[in-house]
Amino acid sequence: MTKLFQKLSITQRISLSFLLVIATGSILLSLPIFHVADAPATTYLDHLFTTVSMVCVTGLSVFAVADVYNRMGQILCLCLIQIGGLGLVSLIALSYYTLRRKLSLSNQATLQSAISKDSHKGLRDYLYHVFQLTFAIEGICALILMLDFIPRYGWSDGIFNSIFIAISAFCNAGFDNLGSNSLMDFAKNPLINLTVAFLILAGGLGFGVWFDLRERNKKFLSGPLSFKQAFHKISIQTRLVLYTNAIILSLGTLISWILERTNPETIGTYALPDQLLVSFFQTVTMRTAGFATISYSAAEQGTNFFYMLQMAIGGSPGGTAGGLKVTIAAVIFLLFRAEIKGHSHVSFHYRTISDSLIKQTLTVLIFFFTVLVTGYLLLLETEPTLNPFGLLFEVFSALATVGVTMDITPHLSIPGRFIVMALMFIGRVGPITVLLSLRQRTEKSIPYAKADLILG
C-alpha cells in the first residue's frame, strides 16, 4: 500500500487523502451509535453527502447536524471538519515530526503542496506554526463565544457549542449544531457576528499572510521602523491579499446593504446599525464560510447574484477557504487595468506579474467556470422541478465550497446530490490540481509563427 502511494503523483496523493477521510467518515457517521435516539430516518447517501460537505469544508447538508447526530457524532463531525480544513496530509506529517521521524523528499513535496508553501525550507517549523495558530485562534474565539452561549445554553452545551462553532468557522465549513436556522437567531447579536466573522476571515486569510505579518510586527516592535516602513516590507503576496480583501469587504458590505435595505423579509425592518452588521456578515460568509443570518430564498435576486460573484472569488491561498482565491481575482483585475491603460506589463506596487503567472490565472479561471457550467447544466437536467436560479446559486455554493443555499439542498434527487458532491470535491482539490499539473509539465513548447487574430 505504501509503495503504491509513493507511485502516485502529488496531486493524486492529496486527492486520495480526501477520499479516504470521506469514505471512513461517511461509514462512521452512518452508524446508529452516533445518532440521537429520536433521529429522523436517514440513508447512507445522506451521511455520505454530509461527510463530503464537512471534509470539503462546504456547509451544504440535507439535514441539521443537531437533529441527527448525538454528542459523539458531533465530535466526529468536528474531527472531519478540522481534517478537511487543515488536510489529512498535514496531520500525518505532524505526527511524523512529533515522533521525530523524517519525511522523504517525495512526502515533503506533497506536504508543501498541501499547505501551499513555496519551498521546503523550514517546512517542519512552518507546519507547527500552522497548527499553533489554528488552535490558538479557535480556542480564544471559543472562549469569547462562551460569554453568550453559556448563559444561553448552560455550561455543558454552551462550552461545546462554542467549540463547535469556532472550529467550523475557522475552517470555513459553515456547519453548526444549533438547529436548522444556521445563525439567523443571532442576526443582530454583535458578539456572535463579529467573532464568527473574525474566525472566517482568520482561516480564509492564509497562514502565509499571518506569518508574514507576525515577522514584520516583530521588526516593527524591536527596531526603528515606522509603521509605513514596516508595511512596505511585507511581501507582495501579503500586500495583494490584504488590499483585495479590504476592497471586497468594503464594497460587498455596501452593495449588500443597498440591495437589501428595503427588503422586509431580510433586513428592511432593522435599524441602520443592524442592517450594516448583517450586510457585513453576509459579505464575510460568502467568502466560502456558509453561515447565514438571513434566508437567501427571501433575498432579492440581484443580491443573490452578487453573492454568487463573491462566492466565486473566495478566500486567500494557503488558508481554509475555497473559491478561485482573491489573488486570482486581483490578477484578473490588474490584467484588465493594464490593458485599458495600454501598459505592456501587468504590475502591482512596482512589481511586474510574470506572464506564466497570468497564464496560470487564466487556466484556473477557465477550469473553474467550465466545471461550474457543466455542473449547472447537469443539475438543470436532473432537477427540472426546482428553481433554475436556485440551482445556479447551489452550484456556485458547492464549487466554491461556500455552503449557503436557497433551500435547494434538501430537495435534490439522488443524481443531483452526486453532482453537488462532485462539485464540492472538485472545488476543494481542483484548482490545486490544475496549478500543480502546470508546474509538472516537462514538454517543451515549439515556437511557431505568430498568428494575427482580430478579437472584436
Side-chain angles (χ1 to χ4, degrees), residues 36-355:
V36 295
D38 56 346
T42 55
T43 65
Y44 173 73
L45 180 59
D46 296 329
H47 301 290
L48 176 63
F49 187 95
T50 302
T51 304
V52 171
S53 188
M54 287 179 175
V55 175
C56 296
V57 288
T58 304
L60 293 174
S61 182
V62 294
F63 51 68
V65 168
D67 292 344
V68 175
Y69 301 123
N70 57 24
R71 184 60 56 86
M72 287 178 56
Q74 292 177 27
I75 291 173
L76 177 57
C77 291
L78 277 184
C79 293
L80 293 173
I81 291 170
Q82 192 79 83
I83 292 172
L86 296 176
L88 180 63
V89 173
S90 303
L91 291 168
I92 293 174
L94 180 68
S95 65
Y96 265 70
Y97 286 135
T98 303
L99 295 172
R100 300 186 182 279
R101 295 176 62 183
K102 291 184 177 180
L103 288 177
S104 66
L105 291 177
S106 176
N107 286 333
Q108 286 184 40
T110 304
L111 174 61
Q112 179 189 332
S113 300
I115 61 178
S116 300
K117 194 175 186 301
D118 56 2
S119 70
H120 291 298
K121 186 178 179 181
L123 193 57
R124 183 180 68 174
D125 291 339
Y126 184 90
L127 184 63
Y128 277 133
H129 290 151
V130 165
F131 280 87
Q132 288 169 359
L133 178 68
T134 298
F135 297 141
I137 292 178
E138 289 175 348
I140 292 171
C141 289
L143 290 174
I144 296 173
L145 291 174
M146 288 177 197
L147 297 175
D148 183 282
F149 282 178
I150 288 178
R152 189 183 300 270
Y153 299 110
W155 281 96
S156 178
D157 289 343
I159 292 173
F160 183 75
N161 293 349
S162 300
I163 294 172
F164 193 103
I165 297 295
I167 293 176
S168 181
F170 183 81
C171 291
N172 279 221
F175 280 95
D176 66 85
N177 61 336
L178 305 177
S180 58
N181 291 329
S182 189
L183 299 181
M184 292 181 194
D185 295 336
F186 303 94
K188 296 188 284 186
N189 186 318
L191 186 144
I192 301 300
N193 276 258
L194 295 179
T195 303
V196 172
F198 173 78
L199 282 160
I200 295 168
L201 292 172
L205 196 59
F207 295 108
V209 172
W210 279 108
F211 298 148
D212 190 23
L213 291 175
R214 183 189 62 181
E215 291 303 314
R216 300 298 170 253
N217 185 54
K218 285 181 181 178
K219 293 181 179 181
F220 171 68
L221 294 176
S222 62
L225 292 176
S226 66
F227 177 80
K228 185 176 180 180
Q229 289 173 322
F231 179 78
H232 282 289
K233 285 186 177 293
I234 64 177
S235 69
I236 197 71
Q237 166 84 14
T238 300
R239 247 181 285 176
L240 183 66
V241 166
L242 292 178
Y243 270 109
T244 309
N245 272 289
I247 292 170
I248 292 172
L249 288 174
S250 301
L251 286 178
T253 301
L254 179 62
I255 294 173
S256 180
W257 173 73
I258 290 173
L259 293 174
E260 286 296 313
R261 72 189 190 284
T262 58
N263 184 352
E265 296 187 52
T266 54
I267 64 173
T269 59
Y270 294 172
L272 179 60
D274 292 331
Q275 288 184 341
L276 293 175
L277 178 65
V278 174
S279 300
F280 170 74
F281 188 85
Q282 304 320 307
T283 297
V284 173
T285 198
M286 287 301 163
R287 310 294 301 287
T288 81
F291 293 100
T293 55
I294 64 171
S295 171
Y296 298 108
S297 59
E300 302 289 346
Q301 288 196 346
T303 307
N304 284 333
F305 181 77
F306 176 68
Y307 288 157
M308 291 183 212
L309 300 180
Q310 290 183 293
M311 291 185 211
I313 293 173
S316 308
T320 59
L324 282 168
K325 302 295 189 293
V326 295
T327 44
I328 298 287
V331 171
I332 292 297
F333 172 77
L334 293 172
L335 174 62
F336 175 77
R337 187 185 68 175
E339 190 64 26
I340 291 295
K341 291 186 174 183
H343 294 169
S344 57
H345 299 287
V346 180
S347 60
F348 175 74
H349 272 218
Y350 308 105
R351 296 290 189 277
T352 298
I353 298 174
S354 67
D355 290 341

Side-chain angles (χ1 to χ4, degrees), residues 1 17 29 41 66 128 137 147 175 231 257 362 380-381 395 426 443:
M1 185 68 179
S17 69
L29 283 181
Y128 277 133
I137 292 178
L147 297 175
F175 280 95
F231 179 78
W257 173 73
L362 293 174
L380 287 175
E381 290 298 316
V395 171
I426 293 171
E443 269 185 38

